[in-house]
Amino acid sequence: MDAKYKRYDRHSVNAADVHQLLTYSSGYAPADAPTAVIVHPRPGSHARRTLQVRGLSGLLGDINVLGVDTHTAPEQATAWIGSVLRRPSHTA
């Protein structure tokens, strides 16, 4: 998991951040489930999307991109993150 202070609700996840998160997932996640998480600020509401990164040999990893509503209390934000990460991955 990596916190980014970038507005990924307004911009695409850049190549450098994708590379960084794939490096994390290859080092720390199970080989059969390479996943990573980017958490970024998103005023107004929470949001989730999943990036699937593929290479010539198939899936390199899934990156969950979580926009956390900056207007919610920290306890509510962490509860939301926990609930999202326990659910199966899908684009939202």
Side-chain angles (χ1 to χ4, degrees), residues 6 17 21 48 52 59 75 78 87:
K6 300 175 183 181
D17 289 340
L21 274 288
R48 176 191 185 185
Q52 285 197 327
L59 182 66
E75 299 81 18
T78 56
R87 286 185 279 186

Side-chain angles (χ1 to χ4, degrees), residues 2 4 6 8 12-26 36 38 49 51-54 60-63 65:
D2 195 16
K4 297 291 184 190
K6 300 175 183 181
Y8 283 136
S12 299
V13 177
N14 65 45
D17 289 340
V18 169
H19 183 267
Q20 178 185 24
L21 274 288
L22 288 176
T23 301
Y24 290 168
S25 68
S26 69
I38 292 176
R49 69 181 192 269
L51 307 176
Q52 285 197 327
V53 183
R54 297 189 172 279
L60 296 175
D62 288 334
I63 300 173
V65 182

Side-chain angles (χ1 to χ4, degrees), residues 35-81:
T35 58
V37 180
I38 292 176
V39 177
H40 68 91
R42 186 175 192 274
S45 65
H46 297 307
R48 176 191 185 185
R49 69 181 192 269
T50 302
L51 307 176
Q52 285 197 327
V53 183
R54 297 189 172 279
L56 296 175
S57 61
L59 182 66
L60 296 175
D62 288 334
I63 300 173
N64 291 291
V65 182
L66 305 181
V68 177
D69 183 359
T70 55
H71 297 129
T72 61
E75 299 81 18
Q76 292 172 321
T78 56
W80 177 77
I81 291 170

Side-chain angles (χ1 to χ4, degrees), residues 75-92:
E75 299 81 18
Q76 292 172 321
T78 56
W80 177 77
I81 291 170
S83 72
V84 166
L85 294 179
R86 285 189 290 275
R87 286 185 279 186
S89 213
H90 69 284
T91 303

